[in-house]
């Protein structure tokens, strides 16, 4: 993106009077878009460096699942409107409040949502759902201890051979230079590290159960992040 920024800025500097207004505006827009892409890449790299250096602390607070999900969705309302994507929030009515690092949960869900919006064609659907893990899941006791938040889309899905590698750093399903989508290939790798800090995990189902297309990215975390779990995370965070 920096090459694009420099290139368009140079044209604007060298030919300010030759360029028609619309063309000049388009070039300026390209600079803004590339600048935003570059900013995202730099922020991703900084986040990754911080998680790997064990420099990200935990800030545990209490929140309702509903306000957490609404907060994430509100950040995408303009984008989804522009792509005419239908967004649905589904949640089990008896979910207890979450006691966790809310900022990190939001960052993971933000990554899931930005990918869902990016890879879903216009007029597609995105669903964000919070629920207890299904019966039979390993943490299912009389009192559920875990919660699953999943973002399901009707996008291009992820081919079987790519399902592992997209969680690695700098890996994308289509790594070609001509790929249409922007991105650094770091969002899921960072999300994986953040989920581990929350004593949880992330994963993918593609296509989601009972559907013909798309993907579902899920985050499983304890409803209450306890001191023990935090200590374990800090102890393993340095390797
Ligand atoms: P980035 O989006 O910056 O490339 P990520 O780590 O967030 O990096 O995603 C890695 C890759 O996983 C993407 O480039 C894409 O190939 C694939 N991917 C992620 N989310 C989706 C999705 N919802 N639908 C289809 N492919 C996806």
């Amino acid at each position: 993106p920096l090459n694009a920024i420099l290139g368009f800025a140079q044209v604007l500097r060298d030919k300010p009077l030759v360029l028609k207004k619309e063309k000049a505006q388009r070039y300026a827009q390209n600079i803004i878009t590339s600048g935003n892409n570059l900013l995202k890449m730099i922020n991703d790299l900084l986040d990754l460096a911080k998680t790997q250096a064990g420099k990200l602390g935990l800030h545990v607070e209490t929140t309702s699942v509903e306000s957490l999900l609404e907060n994430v969705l509100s950040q995408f309302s303009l984008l989804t409107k522009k792509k005419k994507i239908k967004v649905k929030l589904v949640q089990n009515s008896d979910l207890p409040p979450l006691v966790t690092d809310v900022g990190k949960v939001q960052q993971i869900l933000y990554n899931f949502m930005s990918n869902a919006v990016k890879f879903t064609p216009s007029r597609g659907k995105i669903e964000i759902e919070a629920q207890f893990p299904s019966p039979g899941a390993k943490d299912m006791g009389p009192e559920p201890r875990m919660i699953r938040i999943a973002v399901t889309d009707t996008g291009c899905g992820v081919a079987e051979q790519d399902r592992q590698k997209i969680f690695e750093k700098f890996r994308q399903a289509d790594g070609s230079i001509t790929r249409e989508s922007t991105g650094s290939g770091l969002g899921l790798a960072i999300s994986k590290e953040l989920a581990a800090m929350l004593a949880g995990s992330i994963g993918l189902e593609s296509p989601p159960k009972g559907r013909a297309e798309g993907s579902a990215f899920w985050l499983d975390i304890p409803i209450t992040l306890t001191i023990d779990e935090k200590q374990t995370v800090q102890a393993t965070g340095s390797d």
Side-chain angles (χ1 to χ4, degrees), residues 92-105:
N92 201 321
S93 57
D94 53 355
L95 291 173
L98 277 181
V99 183
T100 187
D101 188 326
V102 179
K104 293 193 177 51
V105 177

Side-chain angles (χ1 to χ4, degrees), residues 24-97:
Q25 279 176 332
R26 209 168 60 234
Y27 286 4
Q29 185 55 49
N30 288 346
I31 292 174
I32 294 170
T33 309
S34 298
N36 280 326
N37 289 340
L38 188 61
L39 183 64
K40 164 114 184 30
M41 274 188 191
I42 293 170
N43 281 332
D44 279 354
L45 282 170
L46 288 175
D47 280 346
L48 189 71
K50 278 191 218 153
T51 52
Q52 294 199 327
K55 292 283 186 243
L56 276 190
L58 279 172
H59 306 280
V60 177
E61 47 190 329
T62 305
T63 184
S64 81
V65 177
E66 186 171 16
S67 68
L68 175 88
L69 299 190
E70 275 171 0
N71 190 311
V72 173
L73 285 186
S74 68
Q75 301 178 56
F76 290 91
S77 58
L78 272 182
L79 271 179
T80 49
K81 209 182 241 170
K82 206 164 140 201
K83 277 187 93 173
K84 298 194 168 65
I85 292 175
K86 263 201 196 143
V87 181
K88 198 167 141 194
L89 196 166
V90 186
Q91 57 169 327
N92 201 321
S93 57
D94 53 355
L95 291 173

Side-chain angles (χ1 to χ4, degrees), residues 114-163:
S114 32
N115 281 336
V117 174
K118 186 159 74 177
F119 293 105
T120 300
S122 72
R123 294 176 202 283
K125 281 188 207 142
I126 296 177
E127 212 171 271
I128 184 161
E129 180 173 23
Q131 55 171 1
F132 295 123
S134 53
K138 64 177 185 314
D139 275 301
M140 225 18 216
E143 281 283 306
R145 211 180 63 84
M146 304 291 284
I147 188 172
R148 169 166 291 193
I149 306 176
V151 174
T152 305
D153 64 51
T154 56
C156 60
V158 182
E160 181 147 21
Q161 73 269 16
D162 297 325
R163 277 179 216 153

Side-chain angles (χ1 to χ4, degrees), residues 115 118-119 153 166 171-173 179 183-185 187-188 215 217:
N115 281 336
K118 186 159 74 177
F119 293 105
D153 64 51
I166 57 169
R171 297 298 290 269
Q172 300 171 317
R179 75 201 299 271
S184 58
L188 290 174
S215 6
F217 284 83

